[in-house]
Amino acid sequence: MNLERGQFLQPFETEASCNNACDINPEHQLLIVGSKEGTVEAWDPRSKTRVGTLDVAIKLPGTKTFPSVSALKFKNGLQMGVGTASGHVLLYDIRAQAPLLVKDHLNKVPVKRIAFNPSHQTVYSLDDAMLKLWDENTVRIL
């Protein structure tokens, strides 16, 4: 709904049955939405169209829990973190389909939140059991 015009706008239509997480990039206003099916859909609010779909679940074969998307966070204009219900964090460049790296929390509970500290190249990932601080280049726990 546009409050300035006083009218309803065209809604975003997704192919997902349930959306679990979302984030808006402050640099270019791209909206990303994570789904129960393990996909991330990107929407451009200027054109009101889906500009891309990323299949996260296919990058995590052999997990016992289905890797539906449970957390999303942009690091900057081009990089984002995706947390899954299987306890994995994947870092992506939004221009690529393959993750830059994959981090397993090793306790099989959903990742609730992801945050970045760009000055130290550190990623914070939180689940029900713990908060992990790790280097985004080496995946080493700090």
Side-chain angles (χ1 to χ4, degrees):
M1 179 171 194
N2 186 329
L3 295 177
E4 291 177 358
R5 291 185 190 173
Q7 67 186 38
F8 289 101
L9 301 175
Q10 177 182 353
F12 294 136
E13 293 185 21
T14 180
E15 295 176 0
S17 65
C18 178
N19 292 320
N20 298 334
C22 67
D23 193 27
I24 297 176
N25 191 305
E27 292 184 30
H28 47 65
Q29 305 304 314
L30 190 69
L31 168 68
I32 55 173
V33 180
S35 73
K36 181 180 173 181
E37 288 82 13
T39 61
V40 176
E41 294 180 342
W43 297 85
D44 186 351
R46 295 169 295 180
S47 64
K48 305 220 181 353
T49 59
R50 183 175 43 231
V51 292
T53 302
L54 178 65
D55 192 351
V56 176
I58 201 162
K59 303 299 179 190
L60 296 171
T63 56
K64 294 187 181 192
T65 306
F66 186 77
S68 62
V69 176
S70 59
L72 292 169
K73 184 67 177 171
F74 275 107
K75 175 186 175 189
N76 54 33
L78 296 175
Q79 294 180 332
M80 69 175 180
V82 179
T84 67
S86 62
H88 293 85
V89 177
L90 298 90
L91 298 184
Y92 281 94
D93 184 310
I94 63 171
R95 300 168 290 186
Q97 291 286 323
L100 298 171
L101 63 89
V102 178
K103 173 72 176 165
D104 189 354
H105 268 224
L106 299 174
N107 46 7
K108 310 293 186 236
V109 293
V111 174
K112 299 261 184 190
R113 192 170 304 253
I114 301 169
F116 294 95
N117 185 346
S119 62
H120 292 82
Q121 301 293 314
T122 306
V123 179
Y124 306 110
S125 51
L126 175 72
D127 61 26
D128 283 337
M130 68 180 70
L131 170 66
K132 286 200 175 188
L133 288 76
W134 45 281
D135 186 285
E136 68 182 66
N137 298 317
T138 64
V139 195
R140 187 177 57 92
I141 300 289
L142 302 175

